[in-house]
Amino acid sequence: MALCEKLIGYVEISKSGDVLISLGITLDLFRHNPHEIVAITPDKGKKKIAKQIIELVNEENHMTVFKVIGGDLVDDLYKSFTLILHVEPKGNGQVATWTFEFEKPDTSVPYPTSLMDYLCNIVKDLDAHNNTK
């Protein structure tokens, strides 16, 4: 019996200039220019492959949903895997929220905490990069 699970990670992002421009930069990099992320963030750890499609873009709520359709996550570990990136204003800054919705084939499959840490660190690196411009 498969187990449907959810994992959520939050990253505080500084507010530099117009909050909507900063929100747009973060989301646009993941949606339209993922190759630029590699140039901005340092190489970290073992390389993994994830083939994904953009399932939903909600410009008004600053949210993008990615569905993993191939690669290490769904070929080796999980029956299904969806990533949601949502960025919103919070206080004097912003918060980026990563939500993973995934289906584990059984209880022996670990939670994807290392992937969550990795993506949260990428958002921190992008925020630092945006603040140096």
Side-chain angles (χ1 to χ4, degrees):
M1 184 171 128
L3 304 167
C4 295
E5 303 281 352
K6 187 182 277 192
L7 184 64
I8 301 172
Y10 302 95
V11 179
E12 296 282 331
I13 301 174
S14 62
K15 181 179 177 182
S16 57
D18 185 349
V19 72
L20 294 178
I21 291 173
S22 297
L23 290 169
I25 289 170
T26 303
L27 290 171
D28 282 346
L29 279 170
F30 281 98
R31 282 196 314 240
H32 304 296
N33 300 307
H35 58 280
E36 289 183 19
I37 294 171
V38 175
I40 295 169
T41 61
D43 185 18
K44 299 174 183 174
K46 184 179 174 186
K47 296 198 185 303
K48 297 284 186 178
I49 295 172
K51 184 177 180 182
Q52 57 196 6
I53 59 171
I54 297 175
E55 196 170 60
L56 173 73
V57 174
N58 185 328
E59 295 284 351
E60 185 175 321
N61 291 323
H62 310 291
M63 181 176 69
T64 303
V65 178
F66 305 91
K67 182 175 182 174
V68 179
I69 59 172
D72 299 320
L73 287 174
V74 294
D75 293 345
D76 299 338
L77 292 171
Y78 306 99
K79 289 186 170 195
S80 66
F81 204 96
T82 301
L83 301 95
I84 303 165
L85 175 59
H86 179 225
V87 182
E88 62 186 340
K90 179 183 177 190
N92 289 330
Q94 303 167 70
V95 65
T97 304
W98 280 107
T99 303
F100 297 168
E101 295 174 350
F102 53 97
E103 191 176 357
K104 297 183 349 178
D106 57 57
T107 57
S108 68
V109 175
Y111 279 85
T113 54
S114 61
L115 177 61
M116 180 63 77
D117 292 342
Y118 175 72
L119 290 175
C120 287
N121 284 329
I122 284 178
V123 170
K124 290 176 188 175
D125 291 344
L126 293 173
D127 183 43
H129 177 78
N130 287 339
N131 287 326
T132 60
K133 285 185 170 183

